[in-house]
Amino acid sequence: MKIQLQNQTIPLGPAYPLLLIAGPCAIENLDLCLYIADFMKKETEKRNIPYIFKASFDKANRSSISSFRGPGIEEGLRILETVRDRTGVPVISDIHLPSQADAAAEVLDMIQIPAFLCRQTDLLSAAARTGKPVNVKKGQFLAPWDMQNVISKLTQSGAREILLTERGASFGYNNLVVDFRSLPILSGFGHPVIFDATHSVQLPGGSGTQSSGQREFAPVLARSAVAAGADGIFIETHPEPEKALCDGANSLHLAALPALLDQLCAIKEILGGTRP
């Protein structure tokens, strides 16, 4: 399996390096995005890990109407384009409306569909028609085998390169749990499987007007996911998560990423993946 981005081809599978998708939850400003992208580029190049920078230009599914959402599509895409041009790193962001797909595709190397919207037919079709690779997060309310219908909507709308991301399942109120059986099930559909380590430790709505989280458990879930055969890991990270404007409680400290990447590479190598 491989993903064709604008300037590079990324092979994914048991014999290849782990893909890392990482960045802040939402775009706060250009300087922060450049800092994180440059830091992660250097760390992933040291480890021969393909890297995609992620940040949302709009977080439309916040708990409160007063929650920080990001700069919006116009300014957000301008920032992401600047990050890509200055660092040479591919960029991904999520769209929430079909009308956003074409504008996003002019800048993004990959389009992401949020978990809450993974069944929205018009949104999936619009993303597929752009011709860009599409990463779909499995809804917290879906069984892994239900993603076959999502895949069908994408492929019948023209998508050729699809990634499936596991990010936990609803477990009672304000809680998520990860069933690692999901990874081989999703992999069986013939598309690369990504594991979202930081949203899987989110406590949705756990702080009343915003979500909470347990970032201390994200590394163990990431290690477990690689051991279970994930082709890539998705991580939200910030230099100061306690001051992040969005999802700081489940974001990892940027300084902690190098050590975690070493662990993930070692696990991947044991399973037959390549490493420097």
Side-chain angles (χ1 to χ4, degrees):
M1 296 179 286
K2 61 183 178 180
I3 300 297
Q4 181 64 53
L5 302 182
Q6 185 171 350
N7 296 317
Q8 67 182 114
T9 300
I10 299 177
L12 295 171
Y16 297 104
L18 199 69
L19 170 65
L20 178 68
I21 301 174
C25 172
I27 296 171
E28 297 182 15
N29 56 65
L30 174 60
D31 288 343
L32 176 68
C33 290
L34 286 171
Y35 179 80
I36 294 174
D38 185 63
F39 180 92
M40 293 309 308
K41 178 183 179 181
K42 293 175 181 176
E43 295 299 326
T44 51
E45 285 181 344
K46 292 177 186 177
R47 296 163 176 83
N48 193 34
I49 302 172
Y51 171 55
I52 300 175
F53 175 82
K54 67 81 50 186
S56 297
F57 56 75
D58 182 18
K59 301 297 290 187
N61 58 348
R62 299 294 85 190
S63 297
S64 169
I65 196 170
S66 61
S67 296
F68 177 76
R69 290 180 52 165
I73 186 169
E74 184 174 344
E75 176 65 8
L77 289 176
R78 185 191 69 79
I79 289 174
L80 289 169
E81 185 173 31
T82 301
V83 170
R84 188 190 64 196
D85 291 346
R86 290 192 189 179
T87 66
V89 170
V91 294
I92 182 175
S93 191
D94 38 13
I95 61 172
H96 295 82
L97 299 168
S99 60
Q100 296 175 334
D102 289 341
E106 292 182 5
V107 172
L108 304 180
D109 295 275
M110 185 182 297
I111 293 175
Q112 184 164 285
I113 304 298
F116 284 127
L117 301 177
C118 71
R119 285 171 44 120
Q120 297 296 101
T121 303
D122 291 345
L123 183 64
L124 292 167
S125 296
R129 287 194 297 267
T130 66
K132 292 296 179 87
V134 180
N135 179 35
V136 187
K137 291 197 170 184
K138 181 179 74 65
Q140 304 92 319
F141 44 85
L142 286 184
W145 43 87
D146 291 332
M147 289 296 284
Q148 292 180 93
N149 294 322
V150 175
I151 294 169
S152 178
K153 291 179 181 181
L154 287 168
T155 55
Q156 292 188 46
S157 299
R160 293 169 297 183
E161 297 172 311
I162 300 168
L163 289 80
L164 306 174
T165 295
E166 170 61 59
R167 50 96 75 230
S170 296
F171 189 66
Y173 300 121
N174 305 124
N175 198 19
L176 298 170
V177 67
V178 178
D179 179 357
F180 284 103
R181 295 176 298 179
S182 174
L183 274 63
I185 292 172
L186 292 174
S187 181
F189 302 144
H191 299 282
V193 175
I194 311 300
F195 179 70
D196 184 342
T198 46
H199 280 107
S200 292
V201 298
Q202 189 180 62
L203 302 177
S207 292
T209 58
Q210 62 183 0
S211 293
S212 184
Q214 298 173 308
R215 77 168 68 90
E216 65 272 22
F217 297 122
V220 69
L221 292 184
R223 294 191 293 266
S224 300
V226 176
D231 298 301
I233 295 293
F234 179 107
I235 292 174
E236 288 192 338
T237 184
H238 194 284
E240 299 180 281
E242 297 81 3
K243 297 180 180 180
L245 300 181
C246 178
D247 278 6
N250 56 263
S251 296
L252 292 181
H253 287 269
L254 188 63
L257 264 291
L260 177 58
L261 291 179
D262 284 339
Q263 295 172 352
L264 301 181
C265 286
I267 296 170
K268 180 71 169 174
E269 184 181 25
I270 290 171
L271 297 176
T274 57
R275 146 170 217 174

